[in-house]
Amino acid sequence: MKKADILQAALHLFMEYGVQKVSIKEIASKADVSQVTIYNYFVSKDILIDEVINYYIDRELANFEQLIKSNDTFPQKIKAVIFNKSQTAKQINDNFYQKIMEIYSRKDSYIQDVYSKKAVPMMMDFFEEGKRQGYIDQNISNEALFVYLQIFQEAFQRKEVFQQILPITEDITKLVFYGIVGNNGYAEGY
């Protein structure tokens, strides 16, 4: 329970102020634990940062999974994904975002593992749902959709790209789902 409190407190502070401006003392105060307790669970601030990022990624993935498994229509789900990405971009401190993306750019990171083993299969299932409901062209192969996701992934791993993404997160998310035509260029119901 204390570990979860520490992760939640650190996440809240990192989201608001970034990782560099938040001290262990501030995290301890927010979590209502001692600094020693934090070091008992996390040997260093760097390890705490890594664990907080993993916690954040798991939480975001769970939220995404809940959204795509909901009873909302496919267009409603896409709008919710875009809205959620936009809201997150407004709430996350740039320093914390850059730290997440720095870790994401490493080939052997937890984020990469979650992305390839969990997020991509969820997205592929989501695209299949869109095909079944007539919102995604059924003639587009799953292989092409997979490559499409890989293109974004590889681009986002490049520092010169991920350093610019945060302010345009909503636009990027719209491009993922609607392409350059926009949502008015697709099937009825959007």
Side-chain angles (χ1 to χ4, degrees):
M1 190 71 157
K2 283 184 184 181
K3 185 175 181 178
D5 291 342
I6 294 166
L7 290 170
Q8 289 173 4
L11 177 59
H12 175 81
L13 292 168
F14 292 163
M15 290 283 286
E16 189 168 347
Y17 304 108
V19 294
Q20 292 176 332
K21 292 186 178 179
V22 175
S23 68
I24 294 294
K25 182 178 180 180
E26 292 167 316
I27 296 167
S29 176
K30 179 122 182 110
D32 199 27
V33 298
S34 71
Q35 292 179 56
V36 173
T37 300
I38 291 177
Y39 286 112
N40 284 338
Y41 285 104
F42 311 96
V43 178
S44 68
K45 184 177 178 186
D46 288 336
I47 290 173
L48 173 60
I49 291 167
D50 288 346
E51 289 291 322
V52 168
I53 290 171
N54 293 352
Y55 172 79
Y56 174 71
I57 295 302
D58 288 342
R59 189 184 81 175
E60 290 300 303
L61 185 69
N63 290 340
F64 178 69
E65 184 175 27
Q66 182 179 4
L67 171 69
I68 64 172
K69 288 184 176 182
S70 74
N71 291 327
D72 290 345
T73 66
F74 189 76
Q76 288 171 328
K77 291 176 186 181
I78 289 176
K79 287 177 184 175
V81 168
I82 292 169
F83 176 77
N84 290 345
K85 291 284 185 187
S86 175
Q87 289 303 108
T88 298
K90 290 176 186 172
Q91 295 169 353
I92 193 168
N93 179 281
D94 186 61
N95 173 258
F96 184 52
Y97 172 79
Q98 295 299 327
K99 185 68 175 172
I100 291 170
M101 295 308 289
E102 201 177 282
I103 292 171
Y104 177 62
S105 68
R106 291 189 225 139
K107 298 286 184 213
D108 63 343
S109 71
Y110 177 77
I111 300 172
Q112 278 296 323
D113 193 48
V114 167
Y115 179 79
S116 64
K117 292 180 181 171
K118 296 179 182 175
V120 168
M122 273 192 246
M123 284 295 293
M124 295 303 292
D125 289 346
F126 187 50
F127 289 155
E128 277 298 315
E129 177 185 346
K131 282 182 177 184
R132 283 191 306 275
Q133 293 181 17
Y135 293 103
I136 294 179
D137 185 343
Q138 292 183 3
N139 295 317
I140 297 174
S141 69
N142 287 342
E143 292 80 13
L145 289 170
F146 181 76
V147 169
Y148 185 64
L149 292 176
Q150 293 303 107
I151 289 168
F152 279 96
Q153 177 196 13
E154 289 174 17
F156 293 166
Q157 290 177 315
R158 295 175 39 212
K159 189 172 185 174
E160 64 273 13
V161 174
F162 74 66
Q163 287 180 324
Q164 300 175 39
I165 291 175
L166 191 58
I168 57 172
T169 298
E170 184 175 348
D171 290 342
I172 297 290
T173 308
K174 285 179 181 177
L175 281 171
V176 169
F177 288 106
Y178 301 133
I180 61 172
V181 175
N183 66 337
N184 293 327
Y186 287 88
E188 296 281 322
Y190 265 20

